[in-house]
Amino acid sequence: MCIISKKTGLQAGAMVAVAAAGFGLISYSGNEQAQANSPAAYSVKGFDTSHHNSHPIQWSAAARAGYSFVFQKATQGTGYRDPQFAGDFAGASQAGLMAAPYHFYDSGSGVAQADHFVRTARAAGYDGKRPGQLPPVVDLEKIRGRCPAGVNNTQVAAFLSKARQAFGVNPIVYTSKDFADTCLRGNTGALANSPLWQPRYESGTREPAPVGGRYWSIWQYTENGTVPGLRGKADINVYKGTLTQLRALAHLSPGQTPTRPGTGSTTPPAPPTTPPAPSTTPSAPSTAVWPLLKNGTRGVNVTTAQHLLAAGGQSVTADGIYGPNTRNATAAFQRSHGLTADGIIGPNTWNKLVRTVGQGSKGSTVKAAQAQLAGYGNRIAVDGAFGPATQAAAAAFQRSHGLTADGIIGPKTWNKLVNGTKTSTPTTPAPTTPAPANGRLTQRQALTQLAAAGIKAPVGRTSLAGVRARTIQGVIALKKASGCTIVITGGTESGHSTRGNHSHANGYKLDLRTRDEGRCVTNWIKTTQRKGAPRGNDARWHGTLNGISAEYVYEIPRSGGIHWDITLI
């Protein structure tokens, strides 16, 4: 995309923003192109400014016109400071706009640029924590059509890490697919857990192209907009979440307004104008510490959270791996309970997830408690039935941790359980008739295993008779890792190439759909697996699935029918 940026007056490609975890992260997987509403469908509006805008700016006029937030240029590279920033930041805050500074990424290391940005922002009274202060922003753009000197995934990660450390917030990324593909060479690892702020200016309602399989939380939809109080054209943005979510991110309680910048200690939020309604479910003390679970986390706490999500109505497998499926289930749970849908389990989400259970309770919440107790060495079954053995284990745990030993698992016991050091990991009993190490399966055996994992049966004339056990195990592992719907379109039936030992006929290969439901797995492979040398004219990726070597070839036959040709060994 070629745009003229008001931030620099130069051609721009993309922007990256740093934001707190909980910036209304709305993450989708699978759709290569979103079918968007018009920007007018989103009610939370904002804009961004720099010294390129005509000054002075009448900030109150923008606020009266319904604009809620603004991002303002503070610095560029390792030495430039925007002369309008301090005054703009104070004026916007005084007018009641939620505001934050941004840094224009130029030459210099990520750490050096972050240090310059942090110093300047703090000097203007920004610390990222005062009422009305949104998370800070780092702006990554092409300069005169070229990528910033030295920019790469490592340098971006260094900047974001430094900003996170300084302001206590996690990164959000506003970027275009073009910038990620060219300047970051497709390596978006630094952005993996970040909400996205993306530009798309053309007419129509199509949303910006996804980056790393995820879509925008903020959409900059025009650079030629009109904002009351600003002379000339302006960049205008919409936020996908609600105004309540954005205000929470800006540390604003109900009825509270932004405070003026200051250089002293952070001002605590004012109390709500009306007392909150009493909760029907007890929660852990507000000072309780809860572990943070996010993409890539593994262990008993993840298994526990997955059981609790299932109890909350979400479809998720309790496998102890925090992957895309768990992240999406978490975001759905958060939306249904009025929380910021960032897909990360922190204190607020833990407090909504946990429920008090005791003797006679049944279900996934009990399984979550049993998984924790088993992690402390208790020999109990994770069966979802709160019987005498579970009650005795709970009481013993409570006694050893200074709690009332009533055998009832309430908020305080939950908090102690998930924060303690586990001595063992709950295991699933081995099947009575284990599958062959890599022998051939019958069609019925293969279909039974796939159905149990929620994988769609093969379509058309596809056969799985004689498929290898590890091939089926591998595709099941692919579903768990990606969280995607898997549709098998080719197996051991005749018509495939028979070259090599690891062929379709020998049971090592499967074909998967790439379109419709297959878009999700296509995106997952391309963004998480290691790209290798092509096979002829077809692109190829490599990876490992639960110890099984996987080769993914994006096969484009001359006869048509694009599909993934996957070898699992």
Side-chain angles (χ1 to χ4, degrees), residues 404-432:
T404 301
D406 56 8
I408 298 171
I409 300 178
K412 291 182 179 180
T413 303
W414 275 115
N415 185 258
K416 289 287 188 181
L417 282 167
V418 299
N419 276 302
T421 302
K422 314 299 185 295
T423 58
S424 61
T425 302
T427 58
T428 302
T432 55

Side-chain angles (χ1 to χ4, degrees), residues 48-106:
D48 47 270
T49 63
S50 73
H51 65 280
H52 290 288
N53 296 97
S54 297
H55 282 72
I57 294 172
Q58 303 301 318
W59 302 102
S60 294
R64 287 194 298 270
Y67 287 87
S68 303
F69 65 95
V70 61
F71 292 107
Q72 301 159 322
K73 182 172 182 179
T75 52
Q76 180 171 335
T78 59
Y80 177 80
R81 293 182 176 87
D82 191 303
Q84 299 292 343
F85 168 61
D88 283 355
F89 185 57
S93 301
Q94 186 173 11
L97 291 167
M98 292 173 274
Y102 74 79
H103 171 81
F104 184 85
Y105 196 99
D106 205 328

Side-chain angles (χ1 to χ4, degrees), residues 264-398:
S265 60
T266 301
T267 303
T273 53
T274 57
S279 172
T280 57
T281 303
S283 61
S286 59
T287 56
V289 176
W290 295 88
L292 188 70
L293 304 183
K294 59 183 180 179
N295 199 44
T297 309
R298 294 171 178 255
V300 177
N301 284 345
V302 176
T303 303
T304 298
Q306 290 166 331
H307 283 307
L308 292 171
L309 287 167
Q314 303 304 315
S315 177
V316 62
T317 301
D319 58 6
I321 302 172
Y322 205 111
N325 190 39
T326 302
R327 183 187 64 208
N328 293 340
T330 299
F333 177 87
Q334 290 167 326
R335 283 191 291 272
S336 69
H337 287 77
L339 302 173
T340 300
D342 58 4
I344 298 172
I345 298 178
N348 291 337
T349 305
W350 275 115
N351 276 311
K352 291 289 186 180
L353 282 170
V354 298
R355 293 289 183 270
T356 298
V357 289
Q359 180 77 23
S361 298
K362 295 180 180 294
S364 292
T365 302
V366 176
K367 287 184 179 180
Q370 291 168 329
Q372 283 290 325
L373 292 167
Y376 287 92
N378 293 288
R379 299 178 64 83
I380 58 173
V382 182
D383 58 6
F386 202 116
T390 302
Q391 184 180 40
F397 175 86
Q398 291 167 327

Side-chain angles (χ1 to χ4, degrees), residues 161-214:
S161 177
K162 196 76 173 179
R164 183 186 302 112
Q165 182 181 9
F167 298 118
V169 296
N170 287 320
I172 180 176
V173 176
Y174 171 127
T175 189
S176 72
K177 186 175 186 300
D178 173 69
F179 186 89
D181 288 348
T182 56
C183 299
L184 299 182
R185 301 194 176 191
N187 186 353
T188 57
L191 321 180
N193 297 314
S194 298
L196 302 177
W197 180 12
Q198 295 184 258
R200 183 184 180 275
Y201 299 155
E202 291 89 346
S203 61
T205 59
R206 183 169 53 85
E207 295 183 0
V211 173
R214 297 185 297 105

Side-chain angles (χ1 to χ4, degrees), residues 525-526 530-542 551-556 563-565:
I525 292 170
K526 290 183 177 181
R530 184 178 71 258
K531 192 167 186 179
R535 189 180 74 183
N537 294 323
D538 298 327
R540 176 164 51 179
W541 285 260
H542 299 277
E551 177 191 75
Y552 315 87
V553 176
Y554 195 72
E555 196 166 80
I556 308 176
H563 60 269
W564 282 107
D565 181 80

